[in-house]
Amino acid sequence: MIVIYPQVTPVASIAMVCKRTVTLWTSTGTLTSTFTHPDFKDLHGVCIDREGRYVLTDMEKNSVTVFGATGKLFSFGSFGPKNDQFKSPGYVTTGPDNRIYVSDHHNHCIKIFSDKGEFLSKFGRKGRGDGELSFPE
C-alpha cells in the first residue's frame, strides 16, 4: 500500500512523499518538481521549515533527514527506545522557532529536536489515559 501525506509549503505549493520520492505540486495540481536520494527507504512524513529546508522521516531507517537547496544537510536517529532513537517515526512538523517535532509510533511519544537535530525533550508514554499516547502517527 502506498500512503501519501501532503504538506502545504510556505510558498503555497504542496509537498508529498511516496516511498522514496518527494514531489512538489502547485495548488492547482501541476507537478513542479521531484527529488529522491539514495538514502531514502520508506519516507513517511514531510515538512518544510521556515528556512525552506525539507524535513523527512524514514520509517525503515528510523531516522529524520534534513535537506536544503544544495542537497542533504544532515540526518539523525537510529532504531531504539532512547531519546535520540526512533521506532517508526511518523509525522514531522516544525514550530515557529524551527524546532522539529516527530511522532515516534512504537515508542508512543512525540520527540522534540533543535533545528540541528539535537534532542531537547519528549512527551507521552504508552497508554490511553492523560499524558499517554497509543501509536501516534
Side-chain angles (χ1 to χ4, degrees), residues 65-83:
T65 302
V66 179
F67 278 83
T70 59
K72 182 178 174 180
L73 300 175
F74 62 90
S75 290
F76 60 94
S78 61
F79 179 79
K82 296 179 181 175
N83 289 337

PDB file of all heavy atoms in Angstrom, residues 65-83:
ATOM      1  N   THR A  65      15.800  13.124   8.115  1.00  0.00           N
ATOM      2  CA  THR A  65      16.799  13.724   7.236  1.00  0.00           C
ATOM      3  C   THR A  65      16.351  15.128   6.877  1.00  0.00           C
ATOM      4  O   THR A  65      15.173  15.351   6.588  1.00  0.00           O
ATOM      5  CB  THR A  65      16.995  12.894   5.954  1.00  0.00           C
ATOM      6  OG1 THR A  65      17.393  11.568   6.324  1.00  0.00           O
ATOM      7  CG2 THR A  65      18.067  13.495   5.067  1.00  0.00           C
ATOM      8  N   VAL A  66      17.293  16.069   6.886  1.00  0.00           N
ATOM      9  CA  VAL A  66      17.015  17.459   6.550  1.00  0.00           C
ATOM     10  C   VAL A  66      17.769  17.808   5.267  1.00  0.00           C
ATOM     11  O   VAL A  66      18.966  17.581   5.166  1.00  0.00           O
ATOM     12  CB  VAL A  66      17.422  18.400   7.707  1.00  0.00           C
ATOM     13  CG1 VAL A  66      17.164  19.853   7.347  1.00  0.00           C
ATOM     14  CG2 VAL A  66      16.674  18.024   8.989  1.00  0.00           C
ATOM     15  N   PHE A  67      17.018  18.339   4.307  1.00  0.00           N
ATOM     16  CA  PHE A  67      17.571  18.750   3.017  1.00  0.00           C
ATOM     17  C   PHE A  67      17.431  20.247   2.852  1.00  0.00           C
ATOM     18  O   PHE A  67      16.407  20.823   3.220  1.00  0.00           O
ATOM     19  CB  PHE A  67      16.822  18.075   1.858  1.00  0.00           C
ATOM     20  CG  PHE A  67      17.283  16.698   1.569  1.00  0.00           C
ATOM     21  CD1 PHE A  67      16.804  15.627   2.298  1.00  0.00           C
ATOM     22  CD2 PHE A  67      18.191  16.458   0.556  1.00  0.00           C
ATOM     23  CE1 PHE A  67      17.216  14.337   2.025  1.00  0.00           C
ATOM     24  CE2 PHE A  67      18.620  15.175   0.281  1.00  0.00           C
ATOM     25  CZ  PHE A  67      18.136  14.113   1.018  1.00  0.00           C
ATOM     26  N   GLY A  68      18.433  20.862   2.256  1.00  0.00           N
ATOM     27  CA  GLY A  68      18.388  22.268   1.884  1.00  0.00           C
ATOM     28  C   GLY A  68      18.453  22.397   0.373  1.00  0.00           C
ATOM     29  O   GLY A  68      18.414  21.401  -0.351  1.00  0.00           O
ATOM     30  N   ALA A  69      18.591  23.623  -0.105  1.00  0.00           N
ATOM     31  CA  ALA A  69      18.642  23.876  -1.546  1.00  0.00           C
ATOM     32  C   ALA A  69      19.823  23.180  -2.215  1.00  0.00           C
ATOM     33  O   ALA A  69      19.771  22.854  -3.398  1.00  0.00           O
ATOM     34  CB  ALA A  69      18.705  25.374  -1.804  1.00  0.00           C
ATOM     35  N   THR A  70      20.883  22.917  -1.451  1.00  0.00           N
ATOM     36  CA  THR A  70      22.077  22.289  -2.025  1.00  0.00           C
ATOM     37  C   THR A  70      22.115  20.774  -1.831  1.00  0.00           C
ATOM     38  O   THR A  70      23.087  20.135  -2.188  1.00  0.00           O
ATOM     39  CB  THR A  70      23.347  22.899  -1.411  1.00  0.00           C
ATOM     40  OG1 THR A  70      23.319  22.691   0.007  1.00  0.00           O
ATOM     41  CG2 THR A  70      23.433  24.381  -1.718  1.00  0.00           C
ATOM     42  N   GLY A  71      21.062  20.206  -1.238  1.00  0.00           N
ATOM     43  CA  GLY A  71      21.021  18.760  -1.031  1.00  0.00           C
ATOM     44  C   GLY A  71      20.941  18.405   0.446  1.00  0.00           C
ATOM     45  O   GLY A  71      20.539  19.210   1.282  1.00  0.00           O
ATOM     46  N   LYS A  72      21.353  17.174   0.765  1.00  0.00           N
ATOM     47  CA  LYS A  72      21.265  16.664   2.128  1.00  0.00           C
ATOM     48  C   LYS A  72      22.157  17.473   3.054  1.00  0.00           C
ATOM     49  O   LYS A  72      23.338  17.660   2.791  1.00  0.00           O
ATOM     50  CB  LYS A  72      21.684  15.192   2.164  1.00  0.00           C
ATOM     51  CG  LYS A  72      21.591  14.551   3.521  1.00  0.00           C
ATOM     52  CD  LYS A  72      21.972  13.078   3.443  1.00  0.00           C
ATOM     53  CE  LYS A  72      22.031  12.437   4.804  1.00  0.00           C
ATOM     54  NZ  LYS A  72      22.391  11.022   4.721  1.00  0.00           N
ATOM     55  N   LEU A  73      21.557  17.957   4.155  1.00  0.00           N
ATOM     56  CA  LEU A  73      22.316  18.705   5.160  1.00  0.00           C
ATOM     57  C   LEU A  73      22.768  17.794   6.291  1.00  0.00           C
ATOM     58  O   LEU A  73      23.929  17.789   6.662  1.00  0.00           O
ATOM     59  CB  LEU A  73      21.480  19.858   5.695  1.00  0.00           C
ATOM     60  CG  LEU A  73      21.032  20.899   4.664  1.00  0.00           C
ATOM     61  CD1 LEU A  73      20.109  21.913   5.307  1.00  0.00           C
ATOM     62  CD2 LEU A  73      22.237  21.572   4.037  1.00  0.00           C
ATOM     63  N   PHE A  74      21.819  17.027   6.861  1.00  0.00           N
ATOM     64  CA  PHE A  74      22.169  16.104   7.936  1.00  0.00           C
ATOM     65  C   PHE A  74      21.017  15.148   8.203  1.00  0.00           C
ATOM     66  O   PHE A  74      19.888  15.380   7.781  1.00  0.00           O
ATOM     67  CB  PHE A  74      22.549  16.856   9.221  1.00  0.00           C
ATOM     68  CG  PHE A  74      21.443  17.709   9.795  1.00  0.00           C
ATOM     69  CD1 PHE A  74      20.546  17.200  10.723  1.00  0.00           C
ATOM     70  CD2 PHE A  74      21.314  19.044   9.415  1.00  0.00           C
ATOM     71  CE1 PHE A  74      19.536  17.990  11.249  1.00  0.00           C
ATOM     72  CE2 PHE A  74      20.314  19.844   9.952  1.00  0.00           C
ATOM     73  CZ  PHE A  74      19.421  19.316  10.870  1.00  0.00           C
ATOM     74  N   SER A  75      21.331  14.048   8.896  1.00  0.00           N
ATOM     75  CA  SER A  75      20.345  13.065   9.357  1.00  0.00           C
ATOM     76  C   SER A  75      20.588  12.795  10.823  1.00  0.00           C
ATOM     77  O   SER A  75      21.702  12.965  11.320  1.00  0.00           O
ATOM     78  CB  SER A  75      20.486  11.744   8.597  1.00  0.00           C
ATOM     79  OG  SER A  75      20.083  11.870   7.273  1.00  0.00           O
ATOM     80  N   PHE A  76      19.553  12.360  11.495  1.00  0.00           N
ATOM     81  CA  PHE A  76      19.714  11.922  12.881  1.00  0.00           C
ATOM     82  C   PHE A  76      18.711  10.818  13.181  1.00  0.00           C
ATOM     83  O   PHE A  76      17.696  10.691  12.511  1.00  0.00           O
ATOM     84  CB  PHE A  76      19.590  13.089  13.872  1.00  0.00           C
ATOM     85  CG  PHE A  76      18.272  13.814  13.847  1.00  0.00           C
ATOM     86  CD1 PHE A  76      17.252  13.476  14.719  1.00  0.00           C
ATOM     87  CD2 PHE A  76      18.061  14.870  12.975  1.00  0.00           C
ATOM     88  CE1 PHE A  76      16.049  14.156  14.711  1.00  0.00           C
ATOM     89  CE2 PHE A  76      16.872  15.567  12.957  1.00  0.00           C
ATOM     90  CZ  PHE A  76      15.854  15.206  13.833  1.00  0.00           C
ATOM     91  N   GLY A  77      19.047  10.007  14.175  1.00  0.00           N
ATOM     92  CA  GLY A  77      18.190   8.915  14.596  1.00  0.00           C
ATOM     93  C   GLY A  77      18.722   7.560  14.167  1.00  0.00           C
ATOM     94  O   GLY A  77      19.536   7.438  13.252  1.00  0.00           O
ATOM     95  N   SER A  78      18.257   6.551  14.878  1.00  0.00           N
ATOM     96  CA  SER A  78      18.531   5.151  14.584  1.00  0.00           C
ATOM     97  C   SER A  78      17.438   4.367  15.292  1.00  0.00           C
ATOM     98  O   SER A  78      16.570   4.945  15.947  1.00  0.00           O
ATOM     99  CB  SER A  78      19.921   4.748  15.091  1.00  0.00           C
ATOM    100  OG  SER A  78      20.007   4.913  16.498  1.00  0.00           O
ATOM    101  N   PHE A  79      17.458   3.041  15.193  1.00  0.00           N
ATOM    102  CA  PHE A  79      16.416   2.231  15.816  1.00  0.00           C
ATOM    103  C   PHE A  79      16.673   2.072  17.319  1.00  0.00           C
ATOM    104  O   PHE A  79      17.783   1.743  17.728  1.00  0.00           O
ATOM    105  CB  PHE A  79      16.346   0.849  15.175  1.00  0.00           C
ATOM    106  CG  PHE A  79      15.308  -0.034  15.805  1.00  0.00           C
ATOM    107  CD1 PHE A  79      13.977   0.129  15.484  1.00  0.00           C
ATOM    108  CD2 PHE A  79      15.668  -0.988  16.735  1.00  0.00           C
ATOM    109  CE1 PHE A  79      13.003  -0.669  16.076  1.00  0.00           C
ATOM    110  CE2 PHE A  79      14.712  -1.795  17.336  1.00  0.00           C
ATOM    111  CZ  PHE A  79      13.375  -1.626  17.004  1.00  0.00           C
ATOM    112  N   GLY A  80      15.640   2.299  18.124  1.00  0.00           N
ATOM    113  CA  GLY A  80      15.753   2.039  19.546  1.00  0.00           C
ATOM    114  C   GLY A  80      14.832   2.898  20.388  1.00  0.00           C
ATOM    115  O   GLY A  80      14.095   3.744  19.888  1.00  0.00           O
ATOM    116  N   PRO A  81      14.881   2.710  21.717  1.00  0.00           N
ATOM    117  CA  PRO A  81      13.991   3.417  22.636  1.00  0.00           C
ATOM    118  C   PRO A  81      14.587   4.687  23.258  1.00  0.00           C
ATOM    119  O   PRO A  81      13.912   5.384  23.996  1.00  0.00           O
ATOM    120  CB  PRO A  81      13.745   2.373  23.723  1.00  0.00           C
ATOM    121  CG  PRO A  81      15.063   1.651  23.799  1.00  0.00           C
ATOM    122  CD  PRO A  81      15.563   1.591  22.366  1.00  0.00           C
ATOM    123  N   LYS A  82      15.847   4.974  22.965  1.00  0.00           N
ATOM    124  CA  LYS A  82      16.495   6.130  23.604  1.00  0.00           C
ATOM    125  C   LYS A  82      15.957   7.441  23.047  1.00  0.00           C
ATOM    126  O   LYS A  82      15.287   7.466  22.021  1.00  0.00           O
ATOM    127  CB  LYS A  82      18.014   6.057  23.416  1.00  0.00           C
ATOM    128  CG  LYS A  82      18.630   4.864  24.096  1.00  0.00           C
ATOM    129  CD  LYS A  82      20.127   4.825  23.872  1.00  0.00           C
ATOM    130  CE  LYS A  82      20.737   3.595  24.543  1.00  0.00           C
ATOM    131  NZ  LYS A  82      22.163   3.482  24.246  1.00  0.00           N
ATOM    132  N   ASN A  83      16.287   8.535  23.716  1.00  0.00           N
ATOM    133  CA  ASN A  83      15.787   9.842  23.322  1.00  0.00           C
ATOM    134  C   ASN A  83      16.137  10.217  21.888  1.00  0.00           C
ATOM    135  O   ASN A  83      15.352  10.872  21.203  1.00  0.00           O
ATOM    136  CB  ASN A  83      16.291  10.921  24.277  1.00  0.00           C
ATOM    137  CG  ASN A  83      15.638  10.823  25.635  1.00  0.00           C
ATOM    138  OD1 ASN A  83      14.544  10.277  25.785  1.00  0.00           O
ATOM    139  ND2 ASN A  83      16.305  11.351  26.644  1.00  0.00           N
TER     140      ASN A  83
END
